[in-house]
């Protein structure tokens, strides 16, 4: 798994399309067709500072990832949330509040349905669980692919997105209060 994360982060530094390079490296490591990986949500990040300095974490193979959208009164997407259901470690959340075509800066947030962009990462290492909450930082949008979803009850159409973004910022580990920097990548795929 660490090899996978290392290969994935290596794609950040290589030339060419970051999306294509990341997909190729991860697909090769998993023995999976690159096209199949395009229809999955995943994340990878590296911690700088603190007791986990230099450690890289990647979506566990068993974790179920997905993306959800919130719309304003004009049916424009106002928020996107990429979530990973991960019972052993805890669920991780990437919340993105849209300001036109950009994602607002990361801020501390306690309410998962609040008005701020934030990240909550839950990971385990050596039988210890860690929860990292964003305090500040940013998302850098790599790709945003619009699609349409039809509500089966009202038959109304709503925009939905597949998103890939880099992120980095200052985080606090909630149990110890330790402050670290985290940089990584998240992809949210909406199967609808």
């Amino acid at each position: 798994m660490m090899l996978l994360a290392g290969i994935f982060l290596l794609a950040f530094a290589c030339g060419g399309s970051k999306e294509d390079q990341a997909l190729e490296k991860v697909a090769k490591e998993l023995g999976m067709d690159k096209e199949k990986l395009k229809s999955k949500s995943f994340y990878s990040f590296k911690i700088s500072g603190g007791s986990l300095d230099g450690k890289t974490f990647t979506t566990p193979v068993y974790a179920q990832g997905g993306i959800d959208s919130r719309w304003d009164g004009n049916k424009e997407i106002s928020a996107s949330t990429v979530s990973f259901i991960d019972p052993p470690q805890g669920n991780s959340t990437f919340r993105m509040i849209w300001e036109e075509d950009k994602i607002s800066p990361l801020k501390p947030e306690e309410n998962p349905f609040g008005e701020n962009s934030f990240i909550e990462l839950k990971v385990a290492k050596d039988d210890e669980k860690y929860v990292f909450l964003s305090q500040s930082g940013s998302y850098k949008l790599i790709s945003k692919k619009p699609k349409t979803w039809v509500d089966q009850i009202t038959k109304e159409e709503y925009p939905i997105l597949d998103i890939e973004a880099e992120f980095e910022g200052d985080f606090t580990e909630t149990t110890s209060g330790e402050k670290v920097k985290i940089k990584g990548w998240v992809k949210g795929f909406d199967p609808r």
Side-chain angles (χ1 to χ4, degrees):
M1 188 59 72
M2 287 300 185
L3 178 61
L4 169 67
I7 290 171
F8 192 73
L9 286 176
L10 178 63
F12 287 140
C14 296
S17 164
K18 290 180 183 182
E19 176 185 358
D20 284 343
Q21 294 222 349
L23 286 173
E24 285 177 28
K25 298 287 185 184
V26 173
K28 183 177 178 184
E29 182 63 28
L30 293 175
M32 179 184 283
D33 182 74
K34 183 171 103 171
E35 293 306 310
K36 286 184 181 177
L37 191 58
K38 285 184 177 181
S39 63
K40 298 213 178 285
S41 297
F42 55 86
Y43 65 80
S44 180
F45 64 91
K46 184 174 182 176
I47 298 174
S48 297
S51 59
L52 295 175
D53 184 47
K55 300 290 184 218
T56 299
F57 294 90
T58 301
T59 315
V61 175
Y62 59 79
Q64 297 294 311
I67 187 169
D68 195 20
S69 299
R70 184 174 75 190
W71 301 275
D72 63 18
N74 297 321
K75 292 187 188 175
E76 296 293 325
I77 296 176
S78 60
S80 300
T81 304
V82 184
S83 300
F84 295 89
I85 308 303
D86 184 352
Q89 296 189 122
N91 300 342
S92 291
T93 303
F94 297 82
R95 178 106 169 130
M96 302 168 195
I97 302 296
W98 293 96
E99 295 174 346
E100 296 181 20
D101 260 355
K102 295 184 179 179
I103 305 168
S104 68
L106 295 172
K107 296 182 180 176
E109 181 68 68
E110 305 228 355
N111 177 1
F113 303 103
E115 299 304 316
N116 293 317
S117 291
F118 75 94
I119 299 173
E120 179 181 42
L121 301 167
K122 295 183 179 178
V123 296
K125 175 78 174 149
D126 299 328
D127 297 325
E128 293 285 330
K129 291 187 177 184
Y130 301 89
V131 178
F132 294 97
L133 292 176
S134 60
Q135 300 301 306
S136 64
S138 63
Y139 286 104
K140 178 183 175 191
L141 192 61
I142 302 301
S143 72
K144 176 176 150 181
K145 297 176 184 164
K147 301 191 285 191
T148 302
W149 170 68
V150 178
D151 183 307
Q152 295 303 306
I153 296 170
T154 66
K155 304 300 183 204
E156 291 190 56
E157 292 186 355
Y158 292 89
I160 58 176
L161 298 172
D162 291 338
I163 299 167
E164 291 185 59
E166 292 177 345
F167 61 90
E168 67 178 302
D170 296 319
F171 287 71
T172 300
E173 200 287 312
T174 60
T175 304
S176 67
E178 192 171 68
K179 306 230 181 277
V180 299
K181 293 199 177 291
I182 295 179
K183 182 175 183 174
W185 177 285
V186 62
K187 177 184 176 193
F189 174 78
D190 193 321
R192 295 180 280 184

